[in-house]
Amino acid sequence: NDNNDNNDDDEEIIYFCGNSLGLQPKQTKNIILEELKLWEEKAVEGHFTGKNPWLTYDEPTVKLMAQIVGAEIEEIAILNSLSVNLHLAMVPFYRPQGNRYKILIEKGAFPSDLYAVVSQVEWHGYNGKEAVIQYSSNNTQNPIIQTEELLNFIEENGDSISLIMLGAVQYYTGQFLDIPRITQIAHKKGCIVGFDCAHAVGNIDLQLHNWDVDFAVWCSYKYLNSGPGGVGGLFIHEKHQNLQGRPRFAGWWGHQLETRFQMDEPVFTPIPGANGLRLSNVPILLVAPLHASLEIFIGAGGMSSLRKKSILLTGYLEYLLFHFKLVKRENNNLDTPFFLITPTNPKDRGCQLSLKWISSKKLDISNDCSPAKYMCDQLQLNGIISDYRKPDVVRISPTPLYNTFVDVWKFVNILNSIYLKSLNNIE
């Protein structure tokens, strides 16, 4: 509940924006101060002293992260940022040959993912517009990907696809893709499969190892609450432990610890697993707040328990929105301000609901403000932080770690009041 320009310091804030930036855990400041104190008192010796020496500082955090994403410890690395890790992963995993050179990504993917895959195919000498397939559903009115349609597309076109790179939870719609089935069909067609888990980690009970995903990348500042610009994560399945002769970009922190500091005639000897893709030192002041947050996740029962609450919490939000006739899920004659572009089946979504403005009713707002943006602004004036996405979508993410059913009830009632007031002012 940080200060806000539009709210008094002691006014309650309801925060539904964990899909963009998570809240700060209470222990974050203390754990960072501990490392600053170690730096102040020990300087370079901090790499070898203290309760968690910097030389291996990330190891306890990796163990916690492995539990969060359903992986073996050796399959996880904590490093860099999401887009950097995506590029590093595509070095070994995007290896175009002959007619198999295309990358499949969903249409409307987060722009950084699109930029990354286009730049990769162009770096290999291909035309980005021709070599990158931006897949979309046949239903132009609804952006939700139909699983069977996608699987059929992979079956029919997989021979030309080198890499499938999709958002595990689509950032705009909140749709959770069927990772096991997509991965299974793609592997049968000889495709490598990677996922951007930025909106899935800390939101979905992931099982990356059991689902046989080749690689995955994510950030940690959303649901994992590591702070703005927080450190990224990387998963590489154990079947690719030594990359089987695939090329990689190398750096000294990916070299085995036992000989890392033997610098006479050095020969790169990679750490088996995901850590072999590390380039540089562990960013201590970024890993520290991530560790503080992950301890809370484990203390809350892990992702299995949090996911159970999340399904109920978002289900309650959906129920109230329909009850107040604020949204509809089908193209019918029901007069509502919003259309729900998130799947209604709980297994096909995380905690986020995305509401697309569809009403043609005139509101008492300025002409240079879209109705969806107006709703977000008014919510903020009433102590609720939501997320606006151009041109007409409001994203609401009740996060099970810190949001409550009362938060949801208050939000829907306030949203309904804002909408009715904006209509009444015209009438």
Side-chain angles (χ1 to χ4, degrees):
N1 293 345
D2 289 337
N3 295 348
N4 184 285
D5 291 341
N6 297 314
N7 295 280
D8 296 331
D9 290 355
D10 58 352
E11 186 175 349
E12 178 187 3
I13 300 295
I14 296 176
Y15 193 79
F16 284 134
C17 213
N19 58 342
S20 187
L21 178 67
L23 294 178
Q24 182 186 121
K26 293 180 179 179
Q27 188 60 24
T28 294
K29 184 181 295 185
N30 291 334
I31 197 170
I32 292 176
L33 288 175
E34 285 179 7
E35 301 311 321
L36 290 175
K37 187 69 173 177
L38 182 61
W39 179 23
E40 176 187 13
E41 296 179 348
K42 298 295 183 180
V44 71
E45 292 302 314
H47 287 90
F48 314 104
T49 61
K51 69 177 183 180
N52 194 4
W54 298 334
L55 187 65
T56 55
Y57 188 83
D58 58 333
E59 290 182 0
T61 311
V62 165
K63 291 178 181 178
L64 299 181
M65 185 68 80
Q67 297 179 56
I68 297 296
V69 300
E72 301 297 324
I73 294 173
E74 294 76 15
E75 295 175 323
I76 299 296
I78 296 173
L79 68 171
N80 308 315
S81 59
L82 190 157
S83 294
V84 174
N85 291 339
L86 177 53
H87 278 293
L88 289 176
M90 283 193 287
V91 171
F93 289 117
Y94 175 57
R95 307 304 304 165
Q97 291 183 335
N99 292 327
R100 188 186 291 277
Y101 62 92
K102 295 182 179 181
I103 297 179
L104 174 67
I105 191 170
E106 80 268 23
K107 186 175 179 60
F110 193 75
S112 192
D113 287 358
L114 179 62
Y115 303 155
V117 298
V118 169
S119 65
Q120 283 280 336
V121 300
E122 291 177 345
W123 189 75
H124 282 275
Y126 298 97
N127 183 300
K129 291 183 178 179
E130 193 272 332
V132 175
I133 303 170
Q134 296 188 57
Y135 177 83
S136 62
S137 172
N138 292 330
N139 184 350
T140 58
Q141 301 299 316
N142 193 327
I144 294 174
I145 294 173
Q146 302 302 315
T147 301
E148 297 304 326
E149 290 181 7
L150 174 58
L151 296 179
N152 289 337
F153 184 89
I154 295 172
E155 287 274 14
E156 294 171 3
N157 299 276
D159 292 339
S160 66
I161 298 173
S162 174
L163 169 65
I164 294 176
M165 180 65 214
L166 300 169
V169 172
Q170 217 285 331
Y171 89 100
Y172 195 72
T173 67
Q175 179 180 8
F176 173 42
L177 297 183
D178 191 338
I179 295 176
R181 294 185 66 200
I182 293 170
T183 302
Q184 181 183 36
I185 296 299
H187 282 166
K188 287 182 178 179
K189 297 297 293 187
C191 308
I192 289 290
V193 187
F195 286 93
D196 174 350
C197 292
H199 285 263
V201 64
N203 181 17
I204 298 292
D205 187 12
L206 296 170
Q207 299 296 324
L208 295 179
H209 175 85
N210 291 340
W211 293 342
D212 204 28
V213 173
D214 293 300
F215 74 91
V217 293
W218 57 89
C219 57
S220 62
Y221 54 80
K222 294 181 173 65
Y223 296 107
L224 293 185
N225 314 305
S226 70
V231 68
L234 171 68
F235 165 89
I236 296 179
H237 198 280
E238 67 176 3
K239 65 185 178 184
H240 302 297
Q241 186 177 69
N242 297 309
L243 294 183
Q244 287 80 35
R246 296 172 181 266
R248 76 176 84 202
F249 289 160
W252 75 316
W253 229 252
H255 184 97
Q256 290 187 2
L257 178 60
E258 293 76 14
T259 56
R260 184 177 300 160
F261 295 93
Q262 295 177 9
M263 297 181 178
D264 52 327
E265 301 183 8
V267 176
F268 181 69
T269 307
I271 301 170
N275 273 339
L277 267 69
R278 294 189 306 185
L279 301 180
S280 301
N281 310 46
V282 175
I284 305 302
L285 299 183
L286 294 181
V287 175
L290 174 60
H291 188 90
S293 180
L294 294 184
E295 286 187 328
I296 298 174
F297 275 83
I298 301 304
M303 285 311 305
S304 177
S305 295
L306 288 169
R307 177 64 172 151
K308 291 176 182 177
K309 178 187 173 183
S310 179
I311 290 172
L312 296 174
L313 198 60
T314 299
Y316 182 54
L317 170 62
E318 180 184 39
Y319 165 78
L320 289 178
L321 289 169
F322 283 118
H323 175 76
F324 282 98
K325 295 183 171 56
L326 289 168
V327 302
K328 64 180 179 180
R329 63 167 67 93
E330 299 173 349
N331 291 316
N332 52 39
N333 294 326
L334 185 64
D335 187 14
T336 67
F338 291 103
F339 184 88
L340 182 62
I341 61 172
T342 305
T344 56
N345 190 328
K347 74 178 183 62
D348 295 328
R349 67 188 185 203
C351 69
Q352 172 184 316
L353 293 185
S354 296
L355 315 179
K356 179 182 176 67
W357 183 269
I358 59 170
S359 177
S360 59
K361 290 185 176 180
K362 185 173 178 58
L363 303 183
D364 183 23
I365 62 176
S366 62
N367 292 329
D368 61 348
C369 182
S370 73
K373 177 65 164 59
Y374 171 80
M375 290 293 167
C376 278
D377 290 345
Q378 291 299 307
L379 285 168
Q380 184 163 343
L381 289 172
N382 283 272
I384 296 177
I385 307 299
S386 59
D387 184 65
Y388 166 67
R389 293 288 154 159
K390 295 181 179 180
D392 51 16
V393 168
V394 178
R395 301 189 307 172
I396 305 297
S397 299
T399 305
L401 198 62
Y402 49 77
N403 283 128
T404 68
F405 292 91
V406 173
D407 290 342
V408 169
W409 184 87
K410 288 181 178 179
F411 159 72
V412 176
N413 277 271
I414 291 172
L415 178 64
N416 188 52
S417 296
I418 293 170
Y419 175 60
L420 293 178
K421 182 179 179 181
S422 66
L423 292 177
N424 292 335
N425 285 347
I426 291 291
E427 298 172 356

